[in-house]
Amino acid sequence: MDAPHIEPIVEDPTAPALAMRGLSKHFGKQVAVNNLNLDVPRGSFYGIVGPNGAGKTTAITMATGLLRPSAGSVWIDGLNVWEGQGLEAKQAYGLLADDLPTFDRLSGIEYLQLLGALRSMDEATVAQRSESLLQALDLEDAGPKYIADYSAGMTKKILLAGAMLHRPEVLILDEPLEAVDPVSARTIRQMLSAYVAAGRTVILSSHVMEVIEGLCSHVAIIADGQVRASGTLDQVRMGESLSETFIHLIGARELDDSSLGWLR
Ligand SMILES: Nc1ncnc2c1ncn2[C@@H]1O[C@H](COP(=O)(O)OP(=O)(O)OP(=O)(O)O)[C@@H](O)[C@H]1O
């Protein structure tokens, strides 16, 4: 296999939609993210993949100002997240991640109203956008109900609606299609593609290579807290499927049949 493509980072970190420079995170002796450098070009649909424990969630959490890095800097939409522009940066992105608070005792509609108020949006715009998002995501009936009573897929969809409500420049989504039924998944794919077509940036992390290959223009493979390959989908795949590239880069592990003989 040829050397993997790693797209060089640009000189001006305010130019990309998201720029990570020398980003590191240590949890005691555990190095979760290790001097990570990555640019997400504006207007791209950017996939982030990597094995379990690669550091994807930690990097995203630091990039969005929710977890302080041990070292390094992050710019979102040209705004320095950790050095003085964190509040402005929070207006510039929308985030869907598993451990976000969902305010279970609010209904879906109230949750969107709360987010709208926190983002200083006017009520009429919030109402109009909420209605169209709930309709598109097949949550019309669920809208007045407590989020505590939502299924996993419904919760994912209301979090997605919340991330999109203020029409951010950069949408960052950790496994947005997980637990979502195929009809809703198709709608979400169409919504995200339209979002990118309108000139905004979507960053998506997923373990499902077909999702990344079907949607993304660019991809980064992350392992051990570092970028192992990055660039356009074709630059990274180098004529293979993304799944094959991933396995070549990360290394396949063969099942040790003898130690699992008891399963038979
Ligand atoms: N709060 C924490 N305390 C200690 N270690 C942590 C913490 N959060 C993450 N880690 C460790 O950091 C490493 C990276 O974890 P992270 O959740 O970022 O990986 P990931 O790529 O998102 O994995 P997955 O694909 O399984 O979601 C792992 O080894 C994990 O155990």
Side-chain angles (χ1 to χ4, degrees):
M1 187 189 175
D2 294 339
H5 183 85
I6 298 184
E7 187 68 15
I9 52 172
V10 301
E11 204 171 309
D12 176 8
T14 65
L18 168 67
M20 303 187 201
R21 294 287 182 275
L23 202 59
S24 295
K25 184 70 190 180
H26 307 244
F27 295 106
K29 285 188 181 158
Q30 170 81 41
V31 181
V33 174
N34 187 5
N35 193 23
L36 188 85
N37 293 293
L38 185 70
D39 285 335
V40 173
R42 287 181 191 269
S44 63
F45 203 140
Y46 206 103
I48 295 182
V49 303
N52 294 131
K56 304 177 296 292
T57 304
T58 306
I60 287 174
T61 320
M62 289 191 286
T64 46
L66 302 177
L67 176 71
R68 183 172 289 281
S70 307
S73 303
V74 182
W75 286 259
I76 290 188
D77 196 26
L79 299 159
N80 192 325
V81 173
W82 286 101
E83 279 150 55
Q85 293 176 303
L87 274 182
E88 294 98 311
K90 285 197 172 79
Q91 292 282 356
Y93 74 78
L95 173 68
L96 164 63
D98 271 345
D99 42 11
L100 287 181
T102 44
F103 304 102
D104 283 7
R105 286 290 139 199
L106 295 181
S107 70
I109 291 173
E110 288 166 345
Y111 173 65
L112 297 179
Q113 284 169 343
L114 172 70
L115 289 180
L118 289 173
R119 291 166 183 157
S120 310
M121 295 171 64
D122 77 77
E123 285 177 21
T125 306
V126 172
Q128 183 244 319
R129 290 186 188 177
S130 299
E131 192 184 335
S132 65
L133 284 165
L134 292 174
Q135 188 185 17
L137 293 167
D138 196 25
L139 287 176
E140 275 168 308
D141 293 344
K145 295 180 185 155
Y146 283 146
I147 294 175
D149 297 333
Y150 283 15
S151 69
M154 289 157 78
T155 306
K156 194 117 237 182
K157 291 194 284 184
I158 198 70
L159 287 174
L160 177 65
M164 298 183 83
L165 187 70
H166 60 306
R167 206 171 52 193
E169 273 310 307
V170 186
L171 202 48
I172 304 174
L173 312 171
D174 202 354
E175 293 282 5
L177 301 178
E178 198 180 58
V180 169
D181 71 70
V183 175
S184 297
R186 186 167 174 269
T187 307
I188 292 172
R189 287 164 182 257
Q190 290 169 344
M191 283 165 70
L192 299 181
S193 296
Y195 210 71
V196 173
R200 300 191 188 86
T201 309
V202 175
I203 302 169
L204 177 154
S205 104
S206 175
H207 288 295
V208 186
M209 299 298 138
E210 294 72 25
V211 167
I212 302 284
E213 287 187 296
L215 283 174
C216 295
S217 57
H218 293 67
V219 64
I221 300 179
I222 292 182
D224 299 325
Q226 291 185 325
V227 173
R228 292 290 183 83
S230 62
T232 65
L233 201 51
D234 285 338
Q235 282 171 328
V236 169
R237 282 190 298 202
M238 295 191 298
E240 298 181 314
S241 71
L242 187 59
S243 192
E244 285 168 328
T245 311
F246 184 101
I247 290 169
H248 280 146
L249 265 179
I250 306 305
R253 273 188 304 153
E254 295 309 324
L255 192 62
D256 179 358
D257 221 20
S258 58
S259 66
L260 286 174
W262 59 272
L263 278 173
R264 286 193 214 103

